[in-house]
Structures are given as C-alpha cells and as structure tokens.
Amino acid sequence: MTSDLARVPFSVLDRSRTREGRPDAEALRDTVAFAREAERLGYHRIWVSEHHGVPGVAGSAPTVLAAAVAAATERIRVGTGGVMLPNHQPLVVAEQFGVLESLFPGRIDMGLGRSVGFTDGVRRALGRDKEVAEDFEGQLGELLGWFRGTSPTGVRARPSQGLTVPPFVLAMGEGAAIAARAGLPLVIGDLQDREKMRRGVERYRADFRPSAWAREPYVVVSGTVAVAATPQEARRLLVPEAWSMAYARTHGTFPPLPPAERVEALRMTERERGFYESGLTGRLAGTEEQVAHELEGVLKETAADEVLVTTSTYDRAALLDSYRRLARITGRLS
C-alpha cells in the first residue's frame, strides 16, 4: 500500500446487476447488503444507478434505492451514479434529493448523467427522445437553481431550497466540458481507454470555472477493478459482465449475468468473440500487488481526487472478496 492509494478516497458504484435464474428483487437486496459491507470496509461512498427496461439491471429508481441504502447504513455517503437528468423534470429530481438530504443530512450525493433510455421503446415509454440530452446543460442549471431558490417560476422546491446536496456530473467528452463550465465535480471513465480519459480530465481542469458548488476541480475516475488470489481468478471475475456486454452489442438487449463456467463453454460467433475479448481487456484485474501497481499508474496519469469502482460478476462471494482485497491494498483494511 502506497501513500497515494491511502490518500485518495475509494468509492463504489453498485449497479444492482441481476443474475441468471435469480429474481430482480434479490439484486436490490444484494445492493443494500453490500452497502453495509462497503461501509465496514471503509469505502467513502456507495452510489446506485438508473436503468429502464433492462433485463440485466434491477435498479430503475435510484433515489428510492438510495433511501434504502442510506437507511441500512450509518456513515458512508450515499448517492446516485447517476440520475439520468434528461429522463426527468428537474423540479422532481430536486424534490427527491431534498427529501433524501432531509432524512440523511450530510450523507447524500447527487450524481447526474445525460443519457436517455437504452432503446427506442424505453425512450417512447419515458416520453423522451435522444435529442433531449442536448439540453443537459440547461436541465442541470434548472436543477441547481431549485436548491438556490432562483427559479423564475416563483415556485419553491420543498424541502430542497436552501439545502446543499453535492452535485457530480458523470461524463466523457461534451459532458466533461459542461461540468467544467458549471463548476461541478466530474466523474469520468472508463479505465479501458486511459488516454481518452486523461485528455478529458486535462480539458476539464483547464476549462473549470469556480462555482458556489466547487471552488476548484474535483476528478473522480471510474472503472472496473477485480482483485483475487491469482491473475486467472481475477480475470474470471470479469467473464460474466464481458459476455453480457458482448451479447448486448450483438443482440440489442443487455441480459442478466451468467455464471462464468457457462460463458467459458459457449461457442461464440466471431463478432461475439471480438466484443467479449474486448470486455476482458483494459480492466484493472489481478493480484493485490498487480492491481496496486496499476492503480498507482492511474493516479499518476490523472492526478485523480477519488476512484469510483464499479465491478459486477455472477459469483457474489468472489465479488465481495475482491472488494475486501481492494480495501486492503488501499489501506482501508488491515
């Protein structure tokens, strides 16, 4: 464990991934149970995600799930990674986070993204289209205005107005520029394309404008990290998610996580195999010593202020072991 790894907070994004043969409700309960373990292991935050109509993800209502997580824990910060702002009216989002902050003061984060529904059908069901994401900057300004009481409507957001819920922008590319102009912390990934991520971080820092929300840039780098006793075991942790991504790219739907042994026995098409192998590369996976070395490199390249880990696999025991090992190499656990 190095001073850099001990200095930087490590946090968790749990996406409530469903597993083959298991009910969606179990994935949500797993997220709540994992939050208690993440708190015990010394992680700084736990965030939950928003997906609609996706068989592989049970988390469709992140502020509701965040409330359950916050109620089940005592100290760890809780938030969203993220609420997809184009899917919602900013007033409603402000009210939801105002309720969360009122119930769990000083522990709530507001992670915000600019994606819309995964498919045309989901977007129609939400009453949104792809173009709505182009006004993310305006939606973001409106949302923050509800907390400051600056809405031109004369309406006051209750109980949000006057509260401070730290906002974060989840982004690459244009989203990073929006975060810089708004003076907000940035969450950027993924670790597969380190050069692209580094350029995004540099652009964000160069263009950052101080705001009432953040006086200086704050960078959270996000990605998959898998730690195990051997490199082979660590790589195996990546197999279910890699196959789910490959299936989504070739079949148009994102499925529940399969067991690694079933994936390893599959006969894949050449196209499937290409996406699958891509999903296994560029991740931080290995033994504790190997992952510590890789993380040191990421921190040197990006000068990140925080690391947000988002790792999914079918084997829950192996996943929890990975997070325990990560806590050990980052100095959270002896």
Side-chain angles (χ1 to χ4, degrees):
M1 187 266 294
T2 69
S3 57
D4 278 348
L5 295 183
R7 172 185 57 82
V8 174
F10 275 72
S11 300
V12 177
L13 167 62
D14 191 274
R15 296 164 58 223
S16 302
R17 290 288 273 114
T18 59
R19 295 183 290 163
E20 280 188 0
R22 312 297 299 178
D24 288 358
E26 183 176 82
L28 297 172
R29 290 193 293 268
D30 284 345
T31 292
V32 176
F34 174 58
R36 289 192 287 264
E37 180 69 3
E39 180 173 75
R40 189 186 72 79
L41 293 173
Y43 286 97
H44 183 50
R45 317 176 196 273
I46 180 164
W47 284 1
V48 297
S49 61
E50 175 183 339
H51 296 271
H52 299 283
V54 179
V57 184
S60 56
T63 53
V64 176
L65 185 52
V69 167
T73 55
E74 297 179 357
R75 301 175 306 279
I76 193 169
R77 295 195 65 86
V78 178
T80 55
V83 164
M84 296 301 140
L85 195 49
N87 291 338
H88 308 281
Q89 290 294 335
L91 170 60
V92 175
V93 175
E95 290 171 337
Q96 290 173 346
F97 279 98
V99 169
L100 284 170
E101 176 63 21
S102 298
L103 292 173
F104 309 101
R107 291 180 58 206
I108 301 301
D109 300 322
M110 186 167 57
L112 306 163
R114 64 194 295 264
S115 296
V116 289
F118 185 61
T119 65
D120 289 339
V122 169
R123 289 190 288 272
R124 285 195 299 271
L126 291 170
R128 298 292 190 268
D129 55 38
K130 290 182 179 180
E131 287 67 35
V132 73
E134 295 175 4
D135 189 37
F136 177 68
E137 190 163 12
Q139 297 157 359
L140 184 61
E142 181 182 344
L143 171 62
L144 299 181
W146 288 115
F147 289 92
R148 292 292 184 253
T150 58
S151 172
T153 64
V155 175
R156 297 185 182 276
R158 303 185 187 279
S160 315
Q161 186 171 317
L163 299 179
T164 298
V165 182
F168 296 74
V169 174
L170 284 62
M172 288 285 280
E174 175 59 20
I178 291 171
R181 288 194 294 270
L184 298 180
L186 173 70
V187 182
I188 189 167
D190 60 36
L191 297 173
Q192 276 190 303
D193 192 339
R194 300 256 281 269
E195 177 59 26
K196 181 179 180 182
M197 184 173 67
R198 187 185 60 78
R199 290 196 305 269
V201 168
E202 289 178 350
R203 191 180 313 116
Y204 163 74
R205 288 196 175 110
D207 296 341
F208 183 85
R209 301 175 185 172
S211 73
W213 300 94
R215 303 309 302 170
E216 56 188 32
Y218 190 89
V219 174
V220 183
V221 297
S222 177
T224 297
V225 180
V227 195
T230 68
Q232 293 76 21
E233 290 176 63
R235 176 183 166 89
R236 206 158 190 262
L237 280 168
L238 305 176
V239 164
E241 182 80 359
W243 170 245
S244 291
M245 292 298 295
Y247 190 92
R249 297 291 295 274
T250 53
H251 293 77
T253 184
F254 194 60
L257 294 169
E261 56 270 22
R262 189 176 79 73
V263 176
E264 292 166 341
L266 286 173
R267 296 181 63 182
M268 302 181 194
T269 66
E270 184 177 347
R271 188 161 180 261
E272 287 171 341
R273 177 67 63 180
F275 286 126
Y276 172 68
E277 293 294 341
S278 175
L280 292 173
T281 59
R283 312 294 187 182
L284 300 193
T287 64
E288 293 177 34
E289 183 178 350
Q290 290 170 327
V291 169
H293 176 74
E294 286 291 323
L295 283 170
E296 288 167 3
V298 170
L299 294 178
K300 284 183 171 62
E301 290 173 23
T302 63
D305 300 289
E306 186 173 335
V307 178
L308 180 69
V309 179
T310 174
T311 304
S312 301
T313 196
Y314 183 89
D315 187 333
R316 294 293 300 180
L319 180 66
L320 292 175
D321 181 65
S322 176
Y323 276 109
R324 290 186 193 105
R325 291 174 182 273
L326 179 61
R328 188 155 56 231
I329 66 178
T330 57
R332 274 81 192 161
L333 191 66
S334 59

